[in-house]
Amino acid sequence: MPALAQSVTATPTPLSGDEALKRLVDGNARYAANKPNERDFSAGRAARTRSQHPFASIVSCADSRLAPELAFDQGAGDLFVVRVAGNFVNEDGLASLEFGAAVLQSPLILVLGHTSCGAISSTIDVVKNGTQLPGHLPSLINAIKPAVLEAQKAGATNMLEAATEANVRLNVERLKNAAPILAERVAQKKLTVVGGIYELATGKVKLI
């Protein structure tokens, strides 16, 4: 990516994927306990105009109740976040994550679903009841539908929970196998891809 590399001054992060994940887990524990680190948000602002060095990339739902920087108690410049209702990966999201991995050298991608997801529940409604949605909403439904069908095939008793987890797992696998950039970095152990579920009621993230 020579053209992109020229546009961002990036140096490899010293963290491994496992170390980056531990940093997220520890931050989430602080957040859930309501004991976040105190931060001076002006600190480093000038330096961030020159470059960025996020230690993790997050694929998150656009739900307003979930803010990754808060949920993992991280500051500006720490996370490279791609958000879309239903936390799935389309071509634009994939390209962004490739940039995060290959140019910004982020060693970790976390696909983060959450409880009570409206995009998942709407997809379940469409699959089960044939509900017709207006505008461009069907494009979201089509992206999430494979997870709902997988949960349905498994005979899940709690469709929303099962489909939410299936959606995370399917997108984790897509990213792990996304050639040429991400799959190559996963094979070289330069990139770790994992999934998690954010519990709205507690603020805790469960890795799956």
Side-chain angles (χ1 to χ4, degrees):
M1 284 189 180
L4 288 176
Q6 291 171 6
S7 67
V8 178
T9 303
T11 56
T13 173
L15 297 180
S16 67
D18 288 343
E19 290 168 334
L21 182 59
K22 184 179 186 305
R23 188 166 165 182
L24 288 181
V25 169
D26 290 347
N28 178 246
R30 292 192 302 273
Y31 170 75
N34 199 30
K35 296 180 179 179
N37 287 333
E38 292 186 11
R39 287 187 171 81
D40 177 357
F41 288 99
S42 66
R45 189 174 290 157
R48 288 193 296 271
T49 66
R50 297 188 295 271
S51 64
Q52 58 172 317
H53 310 287
F55 72 87
S57 297
I58 310 288
V59 181
S60 169
C61 184
D63 194 294
S64 63
R65 298 166 292 180
L66 169 56
E69 288 84 358
L70 295 179
F72 294 108
D73 189 30
Q74 300 302 320
D78 289 332
L79 303 180
F80 189 72
V81 182
V82 175
R83 302 189 70 172
V84 63
N87 50 272
F88 61 86
V89 180
N90 58 16
E91 291 299 306
D92 295 331
L94 176 57
S96 295
L97 293 165
E98 288 175 337
F99 182 87
V103 179
L104 302 180
Q105 302 291 296
S106 172
L108 174 70
I109 297 174
L110 170 64
V111 180
L112 186 62
H114 68 92
T115 55
S116 303
C117 180
I120 302 289
S121 61
S122 292
T123 305
I124 293 171
D125 183 38
V126 169
V127 170
K128 292 179 66 175
N129 304 314
T131 303
Q132 299 294 314
L133 298 181
H136 293 85
L137 289 173
S139 66
L140 291 177
I141 300 303
N142 290 336
I144 301 169
K145 187 180 293 185
V148 173
L149 294 176
E150 183 171 301
Q152 191 177 58
K153 184 178 179 181
T157 54
N158 187 327
M159 277 293 293
L160 181 56
E161 179 180 331
T164 298
E165 293 194 4
N167 186 50
V168 169
R169 291 193 176 98
L170 287 172
N171 282 281
V172 166
E173 289 306 308
R174 180 182 181 190
L175 291 171
K176 284 182 177 179
N177 294 289
I181 295 173
L182 300 187
E184 180 178 337
R185 296 185 73 82
V186 169
Q188 295 172 344
K189 301 190 183 304
K190 294 179 179 179
L191 177 67
T192 299
V193 186
V194 298
I197 303 292
Y198 176 83
E199 170 61 57
L200 288 178
T202 65
K204 295 180 179 179
V205 172
K206 176 184 72 173
L207 299 178
I208 61 173

